[in-house]
Amino acid sequence: MNRLSGQAAHEQSTVVRALLQQPLLLRRGRHTHTLDLARRHQAELRAWFDHHLGWRLHIERDRLRLFKTPASTDPQGHLAPTARQCALYCLILAVLGECGKQTVLSELAEKITALTGAHGRLRRFDATHHRERVDLVAMVRLLTEQGVLATVGGESTTTRSQEKEYISGTGDALYDVDHRTAALLLASPVPPAQADGPQALADALEPARADTLDEGLRHALTRRLVDDPAVHWDDLPAQQRDFARARADALITAVRLGLDTRVEVRTEGAAVIDDELSDIEFPKASAASFATLALADLLCTRIDSSHPRRPYVSHTQLHDLAAQLSEQLGQLIPNINGQPISATRVLDACLPLLLQLGLVAHAPGGIQCRPVLARFRAPAGQGLRPEGEELMLFGAHDLPQPTTSEES
């Protein structure tokens, strides 16, 4: 996109950014303008996604669908659906084809029960169980957000109340069905029902359609860059790691220009620094997130003082840090998750969040701090949460200088 005029490049990057955040866009609200831009630049956009990511872009007058397959099959974020919810999501899509223009929760439950009962390899759905009804409603709400289902008459408040009644076993909820949008949702290269198993389906997500090895490596790396909060070179398979080090300039330039964003590249890896895209964001302010940021800062102190790329912290050392932190936190916040502050409470609240965000990793007898943890180091005298330019990827001040740099 670097050869395009400024206006055309901006319009195309607007569509790219929107699709990376939400791969299915319908002509409604603020996305109306995005669809108009996509139709105007459809040839260039299809070529960009195909060349850099190996993803197919489908464009209709009222729908945009980027058939995006993830760089990793690991769930990301604390709000990621569970395995059961993912299965129910696919099952709802499977039975919607048998529904008319409208459906109700009880009809979906009956059809899913029949479908799972007819296939021995599927876990049977049982709507008499409260947990099953909760998961079903959660996936129906997700499909409502995606435009496959719609509340009748636009009364979302009424529908939410009816969904709660269904979960409690006393009510039902009615939805309009958009069959065309439902047909565009499945992005798997092969239908799940035709895959030999979960691993075969995961293998099919690899960028295997590439014509050459270099093309496959480019697709895999660019997918990681646009999907992951941070890419550590050491985490990559050997071929991808060598390719990244040899072609970093071209890869980063393509992402920076295509997304109209800032990409930070350092010795340890790279990341898109962009609040709307793959940047790391802690959950909304709470005592637990506040404590986690404080613990991240203490762990960063160990990075600065010891200098190994991934310093190891034993369980004993981690408990000592948590004890030190609990004394400080006791002067600032009354409790964590409604419980008195203690070293054990700090670890119970903070460690799962650090692991979920990929800032630390389990290691025998302790944890290993990952380089990206340094983004949450608090500069001296500026409190616990760095802001602006201090929120650098691998730490702006003490870590080795990057081998490749990008101007913001």
Side-chain angles (χ1 to χ4, degrees), residues 5 41 48 59 95 99 112 137-138 141 155-156 185 218 221 225 233 236 262 350 372:
S5 69
H41 300 287
W48 191 88
I59 301 176
V95 302
C99 298
I112 292 173
V137 169
R141 287 177 177 175
E155 293 294 334
S156 58
L185 271 182
R218 183 178 67 248
L221 284 165
L225 287 167
W233 302 142
L236 300 175
R262 173 186 168 199
C350 300
V372 72

Side-chain angles (χ1 to χ4, degrees), residues 85-95 186 192:
Q85 289 174 339
C86 290
L88 286 175
Y89 180 92
C90 294
L91 289 168
I92 295 170
L93 287 175
V95 302
L186 190 63

Side-chain angles (χ1 to χ4, degrees), residues 34 64 195 244:
T34 306
L64 286 183

